[in-house]
Amino acid sequence: ELINNTTYQWVTINGVERVKLTAANGKSIFLPAAGKKWLYDFNDRDEIGYYWSSTLDDGDCTQAKHFEVSVNEPIQSHYERANGMPVRPVRIVRN
């Protein structure tokens, strides 16, 4: 729903890069570009926000679906669960 039913705007608020997703009813959610951690490195801070969903990848329990925001359009994808990403209560709805 966040991907298909919101408008998308990249903004900087108090020096923090984030995306503002606004629904048709005018309500919005801000998602900071917190990046992710892989092994000992932090990647993509202030460039991309990664957020885990509660949904495991189909057929591969070592991966989970996530929601990703950047200066490009938001996407839904999956990563290995060993990645460190913020948790935001975002439910992936299957079509």
Side-chain angles (χ1 to χ4, degrees):
E1 186 167 339
L2 288 175
I3 293 172
N4 297 322
N5 298 316
T6 60
T7 60
Y8 175 87
Q9 180 183 11
W10 192 258
V11 296
T12 303
I13 300 174
N14 297 327
V16 177
E17 299 290 330
R18 60 188 79 203
V19 68
K20 178 182 179 183
L21 299 162
T22 306
N25 65 5
K27 293 185 179 184
S28 58
I29 183 172
F30 291 93
L31 299 173
K36 67 179 177 190
K37 184 175 183 196
W38 177 247
L39 299 175
Y40 302 103
D41 296 321
F42 287 96
N43 301 305
D44 303 322
R45 186 166 186 254
D46 294 329
E47 295 176 15
I48 301 174
Y50 300 90
Y51 296 90
W52 286 122
S53 75
S54 62
T55 307
L56 295 179
D57 190 34
D58 298 330
D60 186 356
C61 66
T62 66
Q63 298 198 9
K65 294 190 178 185
H66 80 285
F67 179 71
E68 181 178 316
V69 295
S70 68
V71 295
N72 300 313
E73 293 295 315
I75 63 167
Q76 175 187 320
S77 187
H78 56 88
Y79 272 117
E80 293 178 3
R81 293 168 63 194
N83 276 294
M85 296 184 201
V87 175
R88 181 80 180 190
V90 175
R91 185 174 149 221
I92 302 296
V93 177
R94 296 175 193 228
N95 295 331

